[in-house]
Amino acid sequence: MTDTSLTRLTRLTARLPREVDGRIRAMAIASLIGQIVLILTGGAVRLTASGLGCPTWPRCTSGSLATTPEMGVHGIIEFGNRLLTFALTAVALIMLVMLWNLRKERKDLFWLAVGLLASVPAQAVIGGITVLTQLNPWVVGLHFLVSMVLVVLSMLLVNRAYGRTGRVMDRSYPALPSSMAPTMMVTAVAAAAAVVLGVVVTGAGPHAGDANAPRNGLDWDLFSHIHAVPAYLVAFGALFALVVALARRIQGPFRNGVLVLLGLTVLQAAIGITQYYTGIPALLVAAHMLVSALLMAAAVNAADVARYSPRA
């Protein structure tokens, strides 16, 4: 490296944050929103039968990196979803650069950002395998599950960036009963189990992403009912936590977090039951996917706050 290049690099690092500021927090929020939007656009690809809108990978067609007019609206939808992956990679990279001066002081933020940056390209590769396997339902499901993992990482990143949780907290919370932290952890695990079983249900359902895409061959009706079991556990855990918070007059982020979690759980249950009895319309499936991402983030947030709250 020349002296000129070294000087420029030194000037650049000098401009980077030396404490967690609004720029870092904004990138954390952008990451969380982007991961949720990616789930929604991925759902749009499948629900509009655009899964093979770009029939090859990494190019959209054998002769074009981008979609072509001949690919029509399906090509636009599929290629748009691919572009969003690049945008999220840029967000993760910017976040990592912003944290460079804090890489030792705030290892929690730095390694979460590393995880996001490493996972987004991996997600793109899984998406490519999805196309190359002609929308194999298990690969499609893995694609969705990795997106959910990224939502979890992004939610933790937001909490740490705002000093809500973690070893560098800038606020204090009301004491919680000792049962709350394990209760919310079990609730978050149940939410994750509901997501995994939802993927199985989706793989057996009608919205395959393409008319000729294979299904997993499982009993859709049976697994729909199995999928509901962990959802009941999430509802019970959130309701129990809210009752305890109200009974003990616990204010602040924990009570607000479980209230949001319970509200999203009730909304998700209403959407799920409605789509079950109305023939699984595409718009309701899209809503179900969106709320599942929000619910997962809410469950992680509630468990994270409970973990770092003092014990009564």
Side-chain angles (χ1 to χ4, degrees), residues 157-181:
L157 185 64
V158 169
N159 277 355
R160 303 297 190 272
Y162 276 86
R164 288 165 48 86
T165 60
R167 63 180 181 83
V168 186
M169 292 175 60
D170 61 3
R171 65 197 68 190
S172 59
Y173 294 141
L176 301 179
S178 59
S179 62
M180 284 298 94

Side-chain angles (χ1 to χ4, degrees), residues 164 176 180 183-184 187 234-246 250-266 298-299 301-306:
R164 288 165 48 86
L176 301 179
M180 284 298 94
T183 294
M184 298 319 299
T187 301
V234 175
F236 176 78
L239 181 60
F240 173 67
L242 183 60
V243 169
V244 170
L246 293 175
I250 296 171
Q251 304 289 327
F254 178 73
R255 188 192 67 175
N256 296 338
V258 295
L259 185 60
V260 170
L261 176 59
L262 182 60
L264 287 171
T265 303
V266 172
N301 173 65
D304 199 29
V305 171

